[in-house]
Amino acid sequence: MTFHNKPLEKIALFSLKTVQMRTFHITWLMFFVCFFGWFGLAPLMPTIREDLGLTKSQVGNIIIVSVSGTIIARLIIGRLCDTWGPRKTAVRLLLFGSIPVFLVGLAHDYVTFLLFRLAISVIGASFVITQFHTSIMFAPRIKGTANAIAGGWGNLGGGVTNMVMPLIFAAIVGFGYTSQEAWRLAMVVPGLMMLGAAFLYARYTKDTPDGNYTDINRHAAKTKTDWTVLADWRIWALTLAYAMCFGMEITFDNVASLHFVDTFGLSQASAGFWAGIFGLMNIFARALGGFVSDRIGEKQGMKGKGTLLAFVLLAEGGGLLLFAEAASLTLAIIAMLGFALFLKMANGATYGIVPFVNEKNVGLVSGIVGAGGNLGGMLFGFLFKSENISYEQAFTYIGYAVIGTGILVLLTRFGKQPGAAPAARPQPVFVREKK
């Protein structure tokens, strides 16, 4: 076996020469594009709310369904990655997922918009493909870092879309279209991006360093789903943790623009900018969580990884409580940056553990934990739907829930990390490619 057909021991971040690094970059880009399409409507909701005459309760229902379809989809996609392979799974998800993204502009009332939003939510399952595919391409000691970078850069789509979609909307209005027409036409952009990502995935990636599943007959190796993983409490602890961090992330992506408009009187473009800053922290914060998780794992094993996850969850919860009490835009932005840092680190720290709890069912476990993130987002949506609970109160309740989960994770025994490198001889994670 050569260097090129086994999982990489180091991340050559600026390289595209090996199939592992090509796959790494294309899979995070695929998730970025899907995230862009998934939340492309969120920064335009002030306009959509006015156009369709939506009530607070109806907006809340839209927030709920925008993440609900992903819950089941992530479980299914995790299984399909184990059987079809991540390459075929990604291409098919992109092609079919682009259809509601292109067609959501046909919605002219609450019910049809709600149904389109539910259909679009399925593309959020692309995250499972990214984590599964990255886990295959990298050795155990750097899986956490690689997964965190890929997931974080993919999550950037949530920040970029908050900034870019209002600009696309404004440009379309500048061409003479009404605001009611502009938000519908704007969604063509992420639809086209998804088709481009499908081409790249089909053309330039492989399922494994050895080749596609069909080439190495891997598809025949396992035909039954091992649901015994559901008896493992560690998986449920990770699922709950991910509900508190990623679930809060997608909730904030959905409500941030509305919150800044309604609470601080910002314009749609300004609100989108500040909501985008929240998402842009994924450039480094999720990767930082995965990197620190790997480093702690080398010295303290899975126990250290679990302690790190508990700490960042506790810090996230505290930051959310401060954000909820912020009386000015300045204080709100400072608090947002604080809880965003720890939230995104928690995302990375969670998936610094996921590939090791059951290495025979990585896709299934990744799907279960990933679905937990969306389940959290769905449940949080009910708080923002209620006519009797303000957005500030909803953030407060979620903050306490995150703190409680952090304590629970701290009490969970995750066991010893398989394949951890000896602490005495740490190796560099990132390398500059040799000429």
Side-chain angles (χ1 to χ4, degrees):
M1 183 176 288
T2 66
F3 172 81
H4 290 289
N5 64 357
K6 67 178 181 180
L8 293 183
E9 296 284 346
K10 300 174 183 178
I11 303 174
L13 201 57
F14 301 103
S15 170
L16 290 173
K17 289 189 175 180
T18 63
V19 66
Q20 295 95 326
M21 290 310 304
R22 284 196 300 274
T23 298
F24 169 82
H25 284 295
I26 291 173
T27 197
W28 76 253
L29 180 62
M30 178 272 300
F31 183 39
F32 176 96
V33 168
C34 285
F35 221 109
F36 198 96
W38 186 11
F39 286 96
L41 293 164
L44 305 181
M45 280 303 296
T47 295
I48 297 170
R49 178 175 60 182
E50 181 179 354
D51 180 24
L52 301 182
L54 303 176
T55 66
K56 183 175 186 287
S57 178
Q58 289 173 332
V59 171
N61 287 333
I62 290 167
I63 292 171
I64 291 168
V65 301
S66 72
V67 298
S68 298
T70 316
I71 299 171
I72 301 300
R74 287 193 173 193
L75 295 173
I76 296 172
I77 290 296
R79 172 58 178 154
L80 293 179
C81 283
D82 282 326
T83 54
W84 286 355
R87 178 174 166 272
K88 285 183 178 179
T89 304
V91 172
R92 292 170 182 177
L93 179 63
L94 286 162
L95 293 178
F96 285 104
S98 68
I99 296 173
V101 174
F102 277 122
L103 298 182
V104 66
L106 299 178
H108 287 277
D109 58 37
Y110 163 65
V111 174
T112 53
F113 185 81
L114 188 77
L115 293 175
F116 273 115
R117 200 69 184 93
L118 176 63
I120 290 173
S121 73
V122 171
I123 63 179
S126 54
F127 168 75
V128 176
I129 302 171
T130 292
Q131 298 296 286
F132 181 92
H133 217 168
T134 304
S135 294
I136 288 177
M137 293 295 173
F138 293 93
R141 64 174 300 277
I142 59 170
K143 281 183 183 180
T145 302
N147 279 340
I149 296 172
W153 288 1
N155 281 357
L156 275 175
V160 173
T161 193
N162 270 310
M163 291 182 167
V164 172
M165 287 300 283
L167 299 180
I168 295 174
F169 168 87
I172 294 172
V173 171
F175 281 111
Y177 292 92
T178 66
S179 60
Q180 291 79 12
E181 295 168 329
W183 74 260
R184 303 170 195 277
L185 293 173
M187 287 303 290
V188 173
V189 175
L192 292 174
M193 291 168 64
M194 291 175 68
L195 296 183
F199 170 77
L200 291 176
Y201 223 102
R203 179 70 176 81
Y204 296 108
T205 72
K206 299 289 184 182
D207 287 324
T208 75
D210 288 324
N212 293 322
Y213 277 21
T214 51
D215 299 329
I216 62 176
N217 294 320
R218 177 164 174 167
H219 64 287
K222 183 175 62 176
T223 58
K224 293 183 65 177
T225 301
D226 185 7
W227 293 109
T228 61
V229 300
L230 297 179
D232 189 341
W233 162 249
R234 298 173 303 165
I235 293 174
W236 291 113
L238 291 171
T239 301
L240 184 59
Y242 205 57
M244 295 297 117
C245 52
F246 186 73
M248 183 58 224
E249 176 167 4
I250 58 178
T251 297
F252 198 79
D253 283 336
N254 261 325
V255 304
S257 288
L258 288 171
H259 177 64
F260 286 131
V261 168
D262 294 344
T263 304
F264 301 107
L266 300 186
S267 67
Q268 180 171 274
S270 295
F273 172 80
W274 289 115
I277 293 296
F278 170 83
L280 287 181
M281 291 187 70
N282 277 304
I283 291 175
F284 70 94
R286 182 165 184 149
L288 180 62
F291 178 81
V292 175
S293 180
D294 279 345
R295 302 288 70 74
I296 289 178
E298 289 183 340
K299 296 182 179 181
Q300 301 179 23
M302 293 291 277
K303 180 180 179 181
K305 284 174 173 272
T307 301
L308 170 68
L309 176 57
F311 170 77
V312 291
L313 284 170
L314 292 171
E316 175 199 342
L320 271 167
L321 295 180
L322 291 175
F323 179 78
E325 296 297 323
S328 68
L329 178 62
T330 300
L331 291 177
I333 296 302
I334 293 172
M336 180 190 75
L337 295 177
F339 86 75
L341 171 65
F342 294 110
L343 177 155
K344 294 168 195 300
M345 285 187 69
N347 287 339
T350 300
Y351 272 82
I353 298 174
V354 165
F356 303 105
V357 295
N358 191 313
E359 296 190 75
K360 293 182 179 180
N361 295 278
V362 174
L364 180 59
V365 174
S366 183
I368 292 171
V369 176
N374 288 87
L375 180 61
M378 183 189 75
L379 294 177
F380 295 155
F382 284 100
L383 294 175
F384 292 95
K385 170 188 174 180
S386 174
E387 298 286 355
N388 301 318
I389 300 175
S390 69
Y391 277 17
E392 291 81 3
Q393 289 174 312
F395 286 126
T396 299
Y397 297 152
I398 295 171
Y400 284 124
V402 175
I403 290 173
T405 301
I407 295 172
L408 186 64
V409 169
L410 188 63
L411 299 175
T412 300
R413 296 176 178 269
F414 288 100
K416 184 178 179 181
Q417 176 186 3
R425 299 182 63 186
Q427 300 292 322
V429 175
F430 298 98
V431 295
R432 187 182 300 275
E433 185 184 12
K434 296 180 180 180
K435 300 290 186 182

